[in-house]
Amino acid sequence: MRREAPPGDQEVLAGLVERVTFHNPENGFSVLRVRPRGHRELVTVVCHTASMAPGEWISATGEWVNDRTHGAQFKAGFVRAATPTSRDGILKYLGSGLIRGIGPGFAEKLVKAFGDAVFDVIEEAPERLRTVEGIGAVRAERIASAWSEQKAVREIMIFLHGHGVGTVRAARIFKVYGSKAIEVISENPYQLARDIRGVGFRTADEMAMRMGFEKEAMARVRAGVGFVLMEAMEAGHCGMPLDELIEGGKKLLEVSSDLVRNAVDYELASRSIVADKVGDTECVFLAWLYQAERAIAERVRGLISGKPPWPSIDVERAVPWFCRQTGLTLSDSQVEAIRGVLASKVVVITGGPGVGKTTIINAILKILTAKAVEIVLCAPTGRAAKRLAESTGMVARTIHRLLEVDRRTGGFKRNEENPISCDLLVVDETSMVDVLLMHALLRAVPNRAALVIVGDIDQLASVGPGQVLADMIASNTLPTVRLVEIFRQAAHSQIVVNAHRVNKGELPDLERPEGASDFYFVAAEEVESVVERIVNIVSDRIPERFGLDPIRDIQVLCPMNRGGVGTQSLNFELQKRLNSTSSRTVERFGWTFSIGDKVMQTENNYDKEVYNGDIGYIENIDPEVGELTTRFDNRLVAHNFGELDALVPAYAITVHKSQGSEYPAVVIPLTGQHYVMLQRNLPYTAITRGKQLVVLVGQRKAVAMAVKTVSGRRRWSKLKEWMGNN
């Protein structure tokens, strides 16, 4: 029988985590099912923790509460993971995949061989592990090493837990600082915000407050200034107005404007930030972003000053030759576009779907290939590169692969001293390319090379900082080919027609088509009905009518992650409907991963050569090794279970994440719930992702709101001005 504690009394509850029912990686809120000592039944523990996995032994301090919906729960204010002592606990812990090299099978063998002394053996006499059948020198070393690292992490974690930091972040802190972690943090906890991925200013600030730092401490205020600028960068800015920075710092830190201004002066003196004007507005920039924008402008001006690296081409002869080779007929506007590109060393080609960008690019490539010009093609994502390769018949690589990531430094091997070998570089989907990536790319372009920049200026801007394509065009310093004519074959597609309607501020055709179509609108007013209809459309209606695979061919594109019709909610429902029967699963970071799941990488991993936004399919889960294997295109990539915070289900993704990709079918929810994101470039971008079929699901008024709303948000950047300074 459950022992109830009097209201307000603190109780310690220790037990084995059997299941992670819910985990929100944004705020750490978790619901755990725990088998505690002294309880016959599983207990629900509600807490905040960075991560938790089945098999961990926890000690939770808190109180019993009675939730009206879920009944009695243990609400923990503090949770500490500890090594289990019972045989069952040890088996569960060792078999959870927490220690690499040990799965359920070897856990059984180890406990049988060493009993409750197994942890002592692993730590103090790892050579004895080799007496267990199946454990050789390599596995024994792997187990001992993993245990040693885990122990060190746990020691640091005990310190960090006392300051509100959980499991995942503790591991990252240990990886960066090693044994000096506690020393570094004690001296300046704000250093964490600069050095550790996933530790922001707010986390560091909470730690500092607990450690006795004053609100007015200059280390705190300077860190706050950096945080406000980093938040601006996350929103796409390279800098921000000085007044907004001071006001933002004042609000965040709850200190005086004068103190924030002093901190800005200190940061300016340290050269971590730079002051400059955008127009007449005094702005402050993160130094490395400021320098990157200036370097882009200087490099483009340097490239454009020369002549194309090919002899003069007679377009009047070259175009008919191309038409004979391909059987295509080009319009006058296309011929003029080709003429302009062939005469320029740096040129921008922009336009929406169905306006002939691909035809023009193919004509240029075919003509120049016949002249023995060395051509290199690239795009910002794997899917965009694959599309470019398919449309041109030539090899195309991601920008990251083209630049060759240096795993040792985290930078690129290709640069001014080791440039790309090419006479012409074609960059597709340039609207996705942020300031930092464009800077790295241009550094690696040889001086002799020509540059063709291709992209749709009306799509969403890059996820990263800046608006490179828009600024280049707006500067009026580069030859720009603007394609607007929709060609006859494309005009038959309602996807193309409706995309252009949206781009012009006109409502797409939302009426039910009389015959077959590639564009549909399904009305649904309530959030619950939107979710229900999307799940039904993806799992049943589209596969039955169009013969498309619900997992591999259909992509749900959401305006945002959160909310009832966000990616998180829809991924849960779609995963449950489409892939709930797999026999092998692993629960980590609030998600259940199963063989067959569609997943997305959420951060760049240069070691594994898998990047933010890449989509793959889980092919194997090995609890013995503690590894999950995913196929990204034609490559198998292994993640250990501790790295699964970099993967999320991808049955539904955001429109931003879909840029550069095309899918046979896309399903797009649009509701009033998404009002913050309902701006014209969002549905336009989403619609243009569909190749064969687009289905809008939601409210007519939400579609109208999105179409009529032009983003009034400007991105604070200096590139346009740099480009215009001759």
Side-chain angles (χ1 to χ4, degrees), residues 261-275:
R261 193 175 289 273
N262 288 341
V264 170
D265 290 339
Y266 274 114
E267 292 295 284
L268 287 169
S270 73
R271 298 184 179 181
S272 62
I273 63 177
V274 176

Side-chain angles (χ1 to χ4, degrees), residues 271-290:
R271 298 184 179 181
S272 62
I273 63 177
V274 176
D276 201 347
K277 284 187 175 182
V278 176
D280 296 326
T281 304
E282 292 281 353
C283 290
V284 177
F285 297 81
L286 291 163
W288 40 280
L289 279 175
Y290 179 85

Side-chain angles (χ1 to χ4, degrees), residues 345-389:
K345 194 159 183 278
V346 180
V347 65
V348 176
I349 302 174
T350 186
V355 296
K357 290 198 300 291
T358 300
T359 301
I360 290 171
I361 292 166
N362 279 331
I364 294 162
L365 296 180
K366 201 166 186 68
I367 292 168
L368 291 179
T369 299
K371 298 291 184 181
V373 174
E374 186 180 3
I375 300 169
V376 171
L377 310 181
C378 68
T381 67
R383 283 182 172 263
K386 187 178 181 182
R387 281 179 57 207
L388 183 60

Side-chain angles (χ1 to χ4, degrees), residues 527-573:
V527 168
E528 293 77 10
S529 63
V530 174
V531 172
E532 185 180 334
R533 293 198 176 188
I534 287 174
V535 172
N536 184 43
I537 287 166
V538 172
S539 62
D540 299 322
R541 290 176 63 181
I542 293 178
E544 289 171 4
R545 184 166 179 182
F546 297 94
L548 297 174
D549 184 279
I551 295 178
R552 294 183 177 268
D553 295 334
I554 306 172
Q555 186 62 61
V556 178
L557 303 180
C558 300
M560 54 205 301
N561 285 311
R562 300 174 185 169
V565 197
T567 61
Q568 294 173 355
S569 171
L570 281 167
N571 270 316
F572 178 80
E573 297 296 335

Side-chain angles (χ1 to χ4, degrees), residues 630-683:
T630 305
R631 183 172 295 279
F632 292 94
D633 290 326
N634 296 316
R635 295 176 57 250
L636 287 174
V637 176
H639 291 81
N640 67 57
F641 288 171
E643 297 174 322
L644 295 184
D645 59 332
L647 287 183
V648 295
Y651 300 96
I653 64 175
T654 63
V655 179
H656 280 87
K657 291 289 190 183
S658 75
Q659 287 179 268
S661 300
E662 279 188 344
Y663 312 92
V666 298
V667 179
I668 308 163
L670 287 175
T671 73
Q673 192 180 83
H674 304 130
Y675 74 95
V676 176
M677 301 296 294
L678 294 182
Q679 297 170 349
R680 187 180 301 167
N681 55 2
L682 186 135

Side-chain angles (χ1 to χ4, degrees), residues 62-115:
E63 61 183 5
W64 291 99
V65 297
N66 188 41
D67 186 272
R68 291 183 179 179
T69 305
H70 304 289
Q73 299 178 337
F74 190 79
K75 187 177 181 180
F78 177 78
V79 178
R80 177 186 294 172
T83 306
T85 55
S86 70
R87 180 183 176 86
D88 287 344
I90 294 170
L91 279 172
K92 189 83 172 179
Y93 180 82
L94 287 177
S96 69
L98 212 60
I99 308 298
R100 295 195 69 188
I102 306 178
F106 280 113
E108 283 277 2
K109 292 179 180 180
L110 287 167
V111 173
K112 185 176 180 180
F114 305 116

Side-chain angles (χ1 to χ4, degrees), residues 22-30 49 568 589-590:
F22 179 79
H23 175 72
N24 184 339
E26 297 291 330
N27 57 19
F29 178 75
S30 302
T49 181
Q568 294 173 355
F589 306 103

Side-chain angles (χ1 to χ4, degrees), residues 28 40 70 86 108 117 122 149 224 269 296 301 309 403 412 453 461 490 622 631 647 654:
R40 293 182 180 179
H70 304 289
S86 70
E108 283 277 2
I122 295 172
E149 185 172 319
I296 289 171
R301 286 200 297 271
L403 296 178
F412 296 108
I453 297 167
D622 189 338
R631 183 172 295 279
L647 287 183
T654 63

